Amino acid sequence: MTNIWTKLRAQPWIWSFIAMIAVWLATIAFTGGQGAGEILTAALSFATFTIIIGLGQMMVITTGPGNVDLSIPATITLAGVVATKVMDTDNARLLIGILAALGASFVVGLFNYGLIRLLRIPPIIATLSSSFLILSTAISYGRGIRIKPPPMLADFATTRILGVPLLAIFVLALSIGIALLIKRTLYGRTVLAIGQNPRAARLAGLNVDLTRFATYLLSALLAGVTGIVLSGFSGGAALNMGEGFLLASIAVVVIGGTSVAGGRANVPGIWGAALFIYLLDTMLNTFGASAGIRLIMTGVIIIAVITIAGGDRQQR
Amino acid sequence: DTKDKKIALSNNYAGNSWRQSMLKSWDKVTKQAVADGIVAAADPFTTSENQVTEQAAQIQNLILQGYNAIVLNAASPDALNGVVKQACDAGIIVVSFDGIVTEPCAWRIAVDFKKMGAVQLDYLSEKMKDGGNLLEIRGLAGVFVDDEIHKGIEEGVGKHTQFKIVGSVHGDWAQEVAQKAVAGILPSLPEVKGVVTQGGDGYGAAQAFKAAGRPTPLIIMGNRQDELAWWKEQKDANGYETMSVSIAPGVSTLAFWVAQMILDGKEVPKDLVVPFLQINQADLEKSLETTEKGGVANVEYSKADAEKVVAGK
Amino acid sequence: MTGLMSDILESAVTLTAIEKSFGAVRALAGVDLLLKPGECLGLVGHNGAGKSTLMHVLAGTLKPDQGRLVIGTQDVSRQYSASNASAHGIRCVFQELSLCPNLTLAENVRIVHRALKGIGWKAKARRLIGEKLDEIFPGHGIDVDQEAGDLNIGQRQMAEIARAFTVTDEPLRVVILDEPTSSLDAVTARQLLTFMRQEVARGTSTILISHLLGDVLDYCDRIAVMKDGKVVAEKEAQNFTRHSLVAAMGATAEKAGPGTTARRRISSALTIEATPLTATQTGKLSVRKGEIVGLAGLAGHGQTRMLIQIFDGARKHSAAFIAGDRQSDGVFNLWSIGENVTVSALRHLRKGPLIRPEHEHNMARNWKQRIGIRTPDMNNNILTLSGGNQQKALFARALGSKADIVLMDDPMRGVDIGTKLEVYEMIRAEAEAGRSFVWYTTEIDELKHCDRAYIFRNGAIVAELQGDELSEDKVLHASFAESA
Amino acid sequence: MTALALNRKTLRALLPLASLALVLAATFYAQPRTMSYFGLNLMLQYAVPIALATIAQMFIITVNDLDLSIGPFVGLVGCIGATYLHDTPVLGILALLLCIGAYAAMAALIHLRNLPSIVVTLGASFIWLGIAVMILPSPGGKAPDWLKAIMSLQVPLIPFPIIAALLIALLVHIGLMTSSYGVIMRGTGGNPRAMARAGWSELKTKMVMYGLAGFFGVLSGLSLIGLTTSADAHIADRYTLYAIAGVILGGGEFVGGRVSPFGAVIGALTLALAGSFLIFMRISPDWQIGAQGAILIIVLALRALISAGEARR
Ligand SMILES: Nc1ncnc2c1ncn2[C@@H]1O[C@H](COP(=O)(O)OP(=O)(O)OP(=O)(O)O)[C@@H](O)[C@H]1O
Ligand SMILES: Nc1ncnc2c1ncn2[C@@H]1O[C@H](COP(=O)(O)OP(=O)(O)OP(=O)(O)O)[C@@H](O)[C@H]1O
Ligand SMILES: [Mg+2]
Ligand SMILES: [Mg+2]
């Protein structure tokens, strides 16, 4: 028993799950047990979006200090706008819509990496700048008009099986895939190696450029996927649909135990952190706290979680 | 005579359908006005971030560019006063609308946001004599419009004591955020009879109720086409009744005409009030027809309309 | 008065029963060591014997678990820290260099001297380090206003050594040199050792840690041998011979010198050909299959750049690189030893797209044995290894890959003598099997293992020496001579 | 060889200045009216608080951390400045000192628990915003008159913002780049292990650096409300990113303690000017946001061009 606990304690992701459960218990204690299951279901549906982009952001952050993708929110918006406009509420155009949206995301990834590699712009500024361009593209293409998703997309995004959102199951599969990618493929190992020491990685014969490129591409594509399913989920794309995801994508990655210094990634932690952040918001809403108190509590709890969890984490 | 005069629109945000409609209305009406030779130019400017500082810098640049009037949708009612004063001192007419500024030298085309909150309760009390539990979806914390509408709603609840707000969330005026917040709080709430909103969150709220398997309450809409379409659907299916209220994005064109009139030397009171645009059950079909798919119900002002508003009629 | 007491009285530093463990690893298992004023103590031992750890204890940067530390006559065991140490006049040149790469040399001097402040501190610092560099390494060619990060590793080492000998208001009592010559070429190494003797004559005590036993035997007064966290032998230097020293360290006795082996036959197939890009007048380098080619000359004359040029130009995965500057070019800090070893061979450890963990473990275990990495578990973090053992892991990485050419950037830095002999053997065997090696070394002795060597000066190849011409004289001569 | 390396280094140091000159020239070309005392004054006013926030961020980046909370922090300072500092100056000053203390405490927490600064400051950003929203639920307040007076100072010949910017840069340069204690602070960014080995407490250094960041954050917030005359909790949300961009534009690097105070201030000015330049360009509203990105890219691409010949380190 104690043995399991010591083992668990060593896992960097465990704290996000503990925090999540604590917050959930606090919520249902307040409501007297009412809605315990439904809250979790809602958390699962909404956390999935954060998880998808969190996975992409995690890969980027893992490639080393300074690497971060700030263009995720804009890419979500662009993909959502392109998808719904191309699909034009028609089930038959579903596939071509998805392809168009992913194509747009692909271009975003290409562009981001071009800025970083060819113009040697630090990623944080490169992706920030490109996010403005992406948003402008979305504005001029979509004109701020909200087009409904085709029924098939909406159904896919909202269907539940025994209370578990279908989407969550897909994202679980995706997460396992990414975890496998990191641990067991050459690409994943290269990402981890670059994150620790890019020069050593190059001299160890790893393909640094291609891997970084693939990583920014992956992040953009995952943002694109999020844009598509999110517009299916919430009844269309809007220009501000990505707004909440900038800080969230970074927060779930770091709270989930991924090292901001690079070289260490953690997939389960992203689940814990995404659910935690959603449930934290729910808890504060349920308590009926005022906006000020809610913001303060959010900050305090995030810092508290990382303080409890982060103590023995190795940092460079 | 204003045919040599140049007017600029200073806009602080373009990231939602309301603002896009507003810009479109501006474009449509002012292009015609320029073509007709009423004014020399009417250029729109938007900042990339919804930030006071950026807008302040923008206005300073407009001053330098020699515009005669600046039509302003402000990021903050007070924090731009410094730069608005500079503009006035440079002899520039400043007309603020929607997001108004408090600097006395500027004109204000205000919407009574407080009342926009209060009428929601008035409507609800008419529909539901027994009252009941309400859910409030607010906007972005710390922003003046959010605070005003909220105050109006609180006032309404004070007046109609049969209603009780059992839950309040901030939707940040983004449908995804609102939907997320409502879905989170719903399971913990007792039965909800009505949802009061600040505009644009109705559809998301309805989705959240549906997803939670709750009966759909009376949700106040915010004039977005998707909300109206959903309302129509429900109305046809089960006679669903509600109302919809928001500001018409075309108020930017009213501000344009007001600025033009002031430049023309007309006497215009510093404070004007425009009515918000309310859609009732009876007008639903008509409004839905005239609203662009995916857009916002709108009213654009002609010069004559504007003169009427100025005259206080 | 007992003998021990009198020893302490006349000693500069006394360490008694020092113990230190890192988790399961017992780095120091009760060390007693005594340093007299004005003597040079040599400290030798196999990789991971605990030399660096002991020096960290003495420099106040590691707290021992047990033991007593007396400086002069003052017992400082209780309250001891890095700043205490420097107040007592103890300086240390650490094995992993500790300059701030973003600061100029003058600014780096300020870091160790609290007295350097107020108006004009910078001029003072500049003078201090400049004069000391001139004194120790005449003709060093280092600009004191250069950022440390812009220097190559040899220059960094020189700067740090010079810094350790600068004096402001604190006394200079003991200087610890932990493998100070590992990145220096023969000439600068000699300059340092000569200076060290002068310093000792002036009354400063020094501790010299080195795997170059010749240096230790020639330049130290007394030698202490460490093995597995203990001092196992301690005598006057003249009472040791190279042979008895190696024996005391517990390494396999040195075999008959290399070089005596008959020249191997090398196939005529050319593996690579390259011309240094950085110089206009230069010879061409060529390497044949199965050949061991040395790169020599003074440090910092473009050898590393040549290696990197070959690495970049080589066909994909046909070249492997063994970094000498393992901190910045070699190890992956967060990974286990095993992961560090297998990283270059991953593509061959896959089944389908997925890496097989069992293949990985096998490879790691295999190399732990073959190259003798001293660790209880290959799953431990790489940084738990001593410097020399980290270097062994890098060897395992390169030799374990399927590359045809192995490029070695002064790879024996900090490797103990026993291991070196094993590695030389392994390189020879691999060469027999058809691999080519390009080997940059700062130790002229090592060139004896090469079939041929190129001498570099100012980024250009100025001479090519065949195996039988590779004597110290000839190499040094070629390194200094004006190009023909 | 050395001379060449030095040349490149000077070139790299001059790069931020070159970008500034370029953007300035482009602005003058697009709108000649800006080439005047009045024009520069107006255009650069809002660069002063950004420059101060950039310096604050630079202190944090010097010790290899990143501050995601400086924007909301500046907003909080603004709210305190426009309320307590105006109404009860003693209380206001105490509150501001507390803010600086909070920054130093954050450093202690980050160091002692070995936490990633990104998460801690992310959490702190919510706290600052929350406190600000509680102090000022909706925008308002009044900046103290002395602040307004300082910020609208009219200096003969050279516009005040330029003098202020130079003064800030010079002071910080002396403190950080040439003083003997500055070496310790930068060294901590370059090689913290080496600093610890030399007996310097990393905890103390970090607390000092964060404290300085807090101090400059306070200056930024106060100068900002001196310009806007009133406050708003969201007034400076975007400063976080501007500040990071400013440090990088100015030639700073994220890790390794390589920063430049003059560069950072110039970077901030460049950013502010780039915004103005765009407004003078009259781009269609759709692309106005994108053009901001494009400008950033162009300015930074200059760096790549100039350092193209430079060998990779
Ligand atoms: N920080 C650490 N954590 C865990 N183990 C360590 C650490 N530092 C050193 N060790 C272990 O302590 C032992 C002694 O290491 P030390 O660095 O003192 O050896 P050394 O004699 O200096 O070897 P080398 O000649 O290779 O430099 C080694 O087994 C090493 O693995
Ligand atoms: N293209 C490169 N990529 C990666 N590292 C490099 C590259 N060029 C040089 N280096 C590294 O930068 C450091 C300094 O390089 P420099 O060119 O001064 O060394 P060098 O002249 O080759 O010296 P030496 O003869 O000591 O190897 C070296 O440690 C080298 O490993
Ligand atoms: Mg050692
Ligand atoms: Mg070298």
Side-chain angles (χ1 to χ4, degrees):
Chain A
M1 185 58 214
T2 49
N3 203 348
I4 298 177
W5 173 232
T6 13
K7 260 208 174 128
L8 273 179
R9 264 182 67 124
Q11 303 296 328
W13 48 263
I14 191 71
W15 296 101
S16 59
F17 280 92
I18 292 176
M20 167 209 135
I21 291 169
V23 167
W24 176 66
L25 287 178
T27 313
I28 59 174
F30 186 85
T31 64
Q34 187 199 338
E38 290 92 327
I39 289 177
L40 278 185
T41 304
L44 264 182
S45 344
F46 285 94
T48 47
F49 305 111
T50 325
I51 292 169
I52 305 176
I53 54 158
L55 289 171
Q57 187 72 279
M58 175 188 75
M59 296 307 281
V60 173
I61 288 180
T62 303
T63 58
N67 282 296
V68 67
D69 187 354
L70 298 187
S71 70
I72 285 177
T75 311
I76 292 176
T77 305
L78 179 66
V81 168
V82 170
T84 49
K85 191 161 172 186
V86 172
M87 290 174 192
D88 198 18
T89 71
D90 184 359
N91 272 343
R93 297 173 59 82
L94 188 67
L95 198 64
I96 167 167
I98 291 177
L99 285 180
L102 291 183
S105 317
F106 186 89
V107 174
V108 168
L110 203 71
F111 185 67
N112 278 342
Y113 190 67
L115 295 181
I116 295 166
R117 180 76 182 84
L118 299 180
L119 298 186
R120 304 236 198 99
I121 301 180
I124 198 168
I125 313 287
T127 51
L128 175 70
S129 314
S130 75
S131 78
F132 292 150
L133 283 164
I134 298 164
L135 200 61
S136 265
T137 313
I139 289 177
S140 84
Y141 180 74
R143 305 245 43 113
I145 282 168
R146 191 180 193 106
I147 302 168
K148 284 226 155 38
M152 237 156 86
L153 180 61
D155 287 347
F156 171 76
T158 50
T159 302
R160 285 178 189 180
I161 298 168
L162 302 173
V164 179
L166 182 62
L167 208 52
I169 297 169
F170 272 86
V171 175
L172 183 65
L174 177 73
S175 305
I176 294 172
I178 299 258
L180 220 54
L181 194 69
I182 296 168
K183 268 208 151 60
R184 301 276 303 275
T185 67
L186 194 55
Y187 162 75
R189 288 292 181 88
T190 308
V191 167
L192 297 176
I194 296 172
Q196 297 170 63
N197 189 340
R199 257 175 67 165
R202 188 167 78 92
L203 293 174
L206 301 174
N207 198 334
V208 174
D209 285 332
L210 190 68
T211 302
R212 292 227 293 159
F213 175 46
T215 305
Y216 278 92
L217 214 54
L218 181 68
S219 171
L221 285 175
L222 288 177
V225 169
T226 308
I228 297 169
V229 287
L230 186 58
S231 55
F233 187 84
S234 61
L239 289 178
N240 55 6
M241 69 192 283
E243 256 165 34
F245 285 104
L246 181 61
L247 290 183
S249 73
I250 298 173
V252 294
V253 172
V254 277
I255 293 177
T258 291
S259 163
V260 275
R264 200 185 304 117
N266 195 305
V267 173
I270 290 190
W271 278 73
L275 290 169
F276 161 63
I277 286 182
Y278 182 83
L279 288 172
L280 174 62
D281 206 33
T282 299
M283 176 184 87
L284 294 171
N285 274 333
T286 311
F287 289 180
S290 78
I293 298 281
R294 255 183 15 213
L295 286 164
I296 294 174
M297 287 297 291
T298 306
V300 168
I301 291 174
I302 287 178
I303 294 179
V305 168
I306 196 81
T307 305
I308 295 169
D312 39 17
R313 248 187 247 172
Q314 216 178 322
Q315 277 270 311
R316 276 201 298 171
Chain B
D1 180 29
T2 57
K3 70 173 183 294
D4 304 325
K5 306 283 187 188
K6 298 195 301 176
I7 299 178
L9 169 67
S10 165
N11 174 39
N12 64 316
Y13 182 63
N16 61 27
S17 53
W18 194 92
R19 291 291 173 128
Q20 287 295 327
S21 287
M22 182 197 93
L23 288 171
K24 225 182 280 176
S25 295
W26 173 274
D27 197 52
K28 194 166 129 200
V29 171
T30 60
K31 272 224 174 90
Q32 192 55 47
V34 173
D36 294 347
I38 300 175
V39 290
D43 307 317
F45 296 93
T46 290
T47 55
S48 63
E49 307 278 356
N50 184 7
Q51 281 291 297
V52 170
T53 47
E54 212 182 323
Q55 193 171 22
Q58 185 192 55
I59 294 170
Q60 290 181 326
N61 291 313
L62 297 180
I63 299 173
L64 280 175
Q65 292 208 51
Y67 282 97
N68 305 96
I70 296 173
V71 173
L72 174 66
N73 192 344
S76 166
D78 294 291
L80 284 168
N81 284 353
V83 64
V84 169
K85 184 79 180 41
Q86 283 174 345
C88 294
D89 291 347
I92 297 168
I93 306 297
V94 179
V95 179
S96 63
F97 70 99
D98 184 35
I100 51 167
V101 292
T102 52
E103 170 57 45
C105 75
W107 276 259
R108 271 162 294 281
I109 301 177
V111 178
D112 193 344
F113 287 112
K114 220 178 209 170
K115 192 165 160 210
M116 215 174 105
V119 291
Q120 301 189 23
L121 266 295
D122 293 341
Y123 175 81
L124 285 174
S125 72
E126 226 169 79
K127 280 279 160 226
M128 293 187 268
K129 292 274 179 301
D130 312 335
N133 293 329
L134 299 182
L135 171 64
E136 182 188 7
I137 304 178
R138 298 183 57 171
L140 193 60
V143 176
F144 137 91
V145 177
D146 168 62
D147 212 44
E148 287 291 298
I149 300 181
H150 173 68
K151 275 187 197 145
I153 287 173
E154 277 197 326
E155 234 165 59
V157 175
K159 197 162 107 197
H160 308 285
T161 46
Q162 68 273 38
F163 290 102
K164 185 174 165 229
I165 294 186
V166 291
S168 165
V169 296
H170 279 269
D172 297 359
W173 293 310
Q175 174 164 307
E176 286 70 26
V177 181
Q179 190 182 356
K180 196 154 120 183
V182 172
I185 197 175
L186 258 191
S188 67
L189 295 182
E191 194 194 0
V192 173
K193 278 297 210 8
V195 179
V196 285
T197 63
Q198 299 197 350
D201 299 328
Y203 183 79
Q207 295 294 101
F209 274 89
K210 190 175 134 205
R214 294 272 194 126
T216 313
L218 198 163
I219 303 172
I220 308 280
M221 297 297 166
N223 291 4
R224 270 54 168 190
Q225 189 266 346
D226 58 343
E227 291 179 315
L228 300 181
W230 178 84
W231 177 6
K232 172 88 170 77
E233 229 170 72
Q234 299 296 311
K235 180 182 171 191
D236 294 347
N238 53 33
Y240 189 77
E241 282 188 31
T242 184
M243 66 104 132
S244 178
V245 60
S246 186
I247 335 166
V251 65
S252 61
T253 58
L254 172 63
F256 168 75
W257 290 119
V258 168
Q260 189 268 336
M261 277 187 260
I262 299 168
L263 286 176
D264 206 16
K266 302 238 164 65
E267 225 8 79
V268 178
K270 280 271 158 103
D271 286 281
L272 296 170
V273 177
V274 283
F276 37 80
L277 181 61
Q278 183 167 342
I279 301 171
N280 293 316
Q281 195 78 4
D283 326 318
L284 175 59
E285 278 79 7
K286 207 177 91 223
S287 298
L288 196 53
E289 244 166 60
T290 54
T291 305
E292 184 186 15
K293 204 169 159 196
V296 186
N298 199 358
V299 181
E300 273 150 15
Y301 290 77
S302 65
K303 188 163 185 189
D305 297 337
E307 273 160 1
K308 258 190 252 161
V309 173
V310 169
K313 279 176 224 160
Chain C
M1 198 183 275
T2 66
L4 181 72
M5 274 313 282
S6 66
D7 273 358
I8 288 182
L9 273 185
E10 63 183 55
S11 72
V13 177
T14 316
L15 294 152
T16 320
I18 302 287
E19 288 184 30
K20 176 80 196 172
S21 295
F22 298 101
V25 179
R26 198 141 178 246
L28 297 176
V31 176
D32 297 318
L33 195 69
L34 190 144
L35 182 65
K36 295 183 195 134
E39 79 162 344
C40 173
L41 174 71
L43 192 57
V44 297
H46 60 80
N47 290 136
K51 306 179 295 290
S52 298
T53 308
L54 186 64
M55 294 307 106
H56 275 290
V57 169
L58 182 52
T61 50
L62 260 184
K63 275 215 171 357
D65 304 333
Q66 291 285 330
R68 231 154 62 90
L69 172 60
V70 179
I71 300 176
T73 51
Q74 202 180 342
D75 188 336
V76 292
S77 314
R78 264 156 214 277
Q79 275 285 324
Y80 197 56
S81 68
S83 38
N84 262 344
S86 106
H88 280 105
I90 297 181
R91 312 284 180 76
C92 189
V93 176
F94 293 98
Q95 188 174 7
E96 319 84 37
L97 299 180
S98 30
L99 296 174
C100 295
N102 59 329
L103 302 182
T104 66
L105 289 190
E107 287 171 335
N108 267 298
V109 172
R110 149 74 181 134
I111 286 165
V112 294
H113 288 296
R114 272 150 217 270
L116 287 177
K117 58 184 170 201
I119 294 167
W121 71 267
K122 208 168 208 167
K124 229 185 287 170
R126 209 182 271 137
R127 208 171 48 238
L128 265 179
I129 185 77
E131 282 170 1
K132 206 43 102 177
L133 271 171
D134 292 342
E135 187 181 349
I136 308 177
F137 305 107
H140 52 80
I142 301 173
D143 175 2
V144 296
D145 289 320
Q146 235 173 325
E147 283 183 8
D150 291 340
L151 303 176
N152 68 33
I153 187 165
Q155 294 174 318
R156 289 206 300 268
Q157 198 155 29
M158 285 153 75
E160 187 159 354
I161 292 165
R163 183 177 75 167
F165 284 102
T166 53
V167 183
T168 49
D169 60 340
E170 291 170 340
L172 180 64
R173 196 174 282 166
V174 179
V175 178
I176 302 163
L177 300 167
D178 193 347
E179 300 192 23
T181 59
S182 59
S183 305
L184 300 183
D185 56 57
V187 177
T188 29
R190 188 75 16 95
Q191 288 176 336
L192 165 64
L193 294 172
T194 313
F195 172 80
M196 186 185 78
R197 287 310 313 178
Q198 289 167 12
E199 238 352 269
V200 170
R202 269 176 240 152
T204 312
S205 310
T206 55
I207 299 180
L208 175 68
I209 299 178
S210 178
H211 292 292
L212 303 175
L213 302 183
D215 289 352
V216 178
L217 285 164
D218 292 349
Y219 287 90
C220 294
D221 302 316
R222 219 153 43 88
I223 300 176
V225 181
M226 283 189 77
K227 189 181 167 202
D228 297 329
K230 283 209 177 84
V231 173
V232 291
E234 191 184 345
K235 286 192 271 193
E236 299 298 308
Q238 63 258 33
N239 296 339
F240 275 112
T241 63
R242 187 180 173 84
H243 200 79
S244 66
L245 205 52
V246 171
M249 285 165 64
T252 43
E254 213 167 346
K255 294 188 194 97
T260 55
T261 347
R263 285 286 125 209
R264 293 168 298 114
R265 200 169 311 148
I266 291 155
S267 94
S268 55
L270 204 61
T271 306
I272 33 164
E273 230 174 19
T275 318
L277 290 174
T278 42
T280 43
Q281 269 202 346
T282 179
K284 193 156 63 178
L285 174 145
S286 66
V287 182
R288 285 165 212 291
K289 191 166 151 55
E291 197 177 21
I292 305 174
V293 172
L295 307 183
L298 299 182
H301 279 248
Q303 298 93 332
T304 301
R305 208 171 301 154
M306 181 82 249
L307 290 175
I308 289 187
Q309 188 190 325
I310 298 173
F311 183 77
D312 288 341
R315 250 180 326 105
K316 247 188 165 175
H317 315 309
S318 67
F321 193 98
I322 304 177
D325 190 353
R326 59 178 166 272
Q327 270 180 318
S328 65
D329 297 350
V331 298
F332 297 108
N333 284 337
L334 299 175
W335 273 352
S336 71
I337 308 162
E339 285 168 311
N340 264 286
V341 167
T342 56
V343 61
S344 290
L346 288 175
R347 70 189 68 249
H348 308 297
L349 303 176
R350 290 183 296 186
K351 192 174 163 198
L354 292 187
I355 298 165
R356 304 295 306 242
E358 61 274 21
H359 290 185
E360 240 190 317
H361 283 143
N362 285 344
M363 178 177 172
R365 212 177 29 227
N366 200 347
W367 279 98
K368 172 178 150 80
Q369 264 171 15
R370 273 183 75 179
I371 208 161
I373 297 174
R374 276 177 181 258
T375 176
D377 187 349
M378 289 294 275
N379 289 323
N380 285 347
N381 183 275
I382 183 87
L383 295 183
T384 62
L385 289 182
S386 72
N389 275 299
Q390 289 177 24
Q391 198 63 41
K392 287 195 216 171
L394 297 188
F395 259 102
R397 180 194 294 171
L399 296 181
S401 76
K402 299 228 158 126
D404 305 326
I405 313 162
V406 178
L407 306 166
M408 305 194 285
D409 181 17
D410 201 7
M412 299 295 182
R413 283 176 203 169
V415 176
D416 67 34
I417 176 101
T419 312
K420 265 187 197 167
L421 294 175
E422 284 165 33
V423 173
Y424 295 151
E425 203 51 52
M426 213 175 295
I427 290 174
R428 187 165 294 274
E430 294 276 340
E432 299 290 353
R435 258 195 193 170
S436 311
F437 288 82
V438 183
W439 185 351
Y440 165 42
T441 172
T442 46
E443 284 176 49
I444 291 175
D445 272 355
E446 278 183 351
L447 287 175
K448 296 193 183 110
H449 300 273
C450 300
D451 300 313
R452 263 179 325 119
Y454 293 98
I455 315 297
F456 278 68
R457 208 157 54 76
N458 290 334
I461 295 175
V462 291
E464 179 183 342
L465 300 178
Q466 295 303 321
D468 40 5
E469 303 174 303
L470 285 168
S471 66
E472 176 154 356
D473 268 2
K474 284 220 161 107
V475 172
L476 283 181
H477 186 258
S479 311
F480 283 109
E482 283 303 314
S483 50
Chain D
M1 184 62 208
T2 333
L4 202 68
L6 271 181
N7 258 342
R8 280 206 196 105
K9 203 173 265 173
T10 351
L11 208 60
R12 228 184 317 167
L14 285 178
L15 209 56
L17 206 57
S19 342
L20 178 66
L22 193 87
V23 176
L24 199 60
T27 313
F28 285 161
Y29 176 77
Q31 181 54 263
R33 253 183 265 204
T34 54
M35 214 184 331
S36 64
Y37 178 91
F38 176 71
L40 282 172
N41 201 8
L42 218 50
M43 246 183 347
L44 291 176
Q45 252 183 1
Y46 276 87
V48 174
I50 296 183
L52 286 163
T54 306
I55 292 282
Q57 182 69 266
M58 190 196 72
F59 280 120
I60 309 263
I61 288 180
T62 306
V63 287
N64 293 347
D65 283 350
L66 201 60
D67 183 4
L68 295 186
S69 75
I70 190 70
F73 181 76
V74 170
L76 169 63
V77 170
C79 288
I80 293 174
T83 52
Y84 296 124
L85 194 63
H86 179 263
D87 307 333
T88 47
V90 178
L91 209 62
I93 290 170
L94 269 179
L96 292 177
L97 287 177
L98 210 65
C99 286
I100 298 174
Y103 250 70
M106 204 152 74
L109 181 70
I110 287 172
H111 180 77
L112 292 176
R113 295 290 295 169
N114 204 2
L115 306 176
S117 60
I118 292 193
V119 200
V120 175
T121 53
L122 183 73
S125 72
F126 289 105
I127 299 180
W128 308 145
L129 193 60
I131 300 175
V133 167
M134 285 177 78
I135 294 176
L136 266 186
S138 73
K142 271 203 170 45
D145 293 324
W146 53 269
L147 264 181
K148 288 193 260 185
I150 293 177
M151 292 313 290
S152 47
L153 214 59
Q154 298 278 342
V155 190
L157 261 38
I158 305 169
F160 172 68
I162 295 181
I163 294 179
L166 282 177
L167 214 63
I168 296 162
L170 189 68
L171 273 175
V172 179
H173 181 86
I174 290 172
L176 191 64
M177 307 306 283
T178 67
S179 85
S180 63
Y181 191 60
V183 171
I184 305 306
M185 304 200 266
R186 284 182 292 133
T188 303
N191 188 348
R193 273 243 306 266
M195 298 306 296
R197 281 177 180 175
W200 296 99
S201 152
E202 194 181 344
L203 174 67
K204 200 177 133 201
T205 313
K206 274 205 170 174
M207 285 180 69
V208 170
M209 288 305 256
Y210 273 70
L212 281 170
F215 176 67
F216 277 86
V218 166
L219 292 186
S220 172
L222 293 182
S223 61
L224 182 54
I225 59 163
L227 290 170
T228 59
T229 71
S230 80
D232 177 337
H234 291 285
I235 197 166
D237 284 356
R238 280 289 152 175
Y239 271 30
T240 306
L241 284 174
Y242 287 166
I244 296 174
V247 175
I248 300 303
L249 269 178
E253 284 169 28
F254 281 113
V255 283
R258 287 197 173 86
V259 294
S260 150
F262 273 101
V265 168
I266 290 173
L269 294 183
T270 312
L271 272 181
L273 274 180
S276 310
F277 171 66
L278 277 176
I279 291 166
F280 299 135
M281 289 291 293
R282 310 213 185 164
I283 295 160
S284 95
D286 285 1
W287 290 98
Q288 278 174 11
I289 297 174
Q292 305 247 2
I295 281 271
L296 265 178
I297 290 170
I298 291 167
V299 171
L300 280 160
L302 280 178
R303 291 187 0 154
L305 272 182
I306 296 190
S307 52
E310 198 173 339
R312 287 177 64 197
R313 273 193 305 128

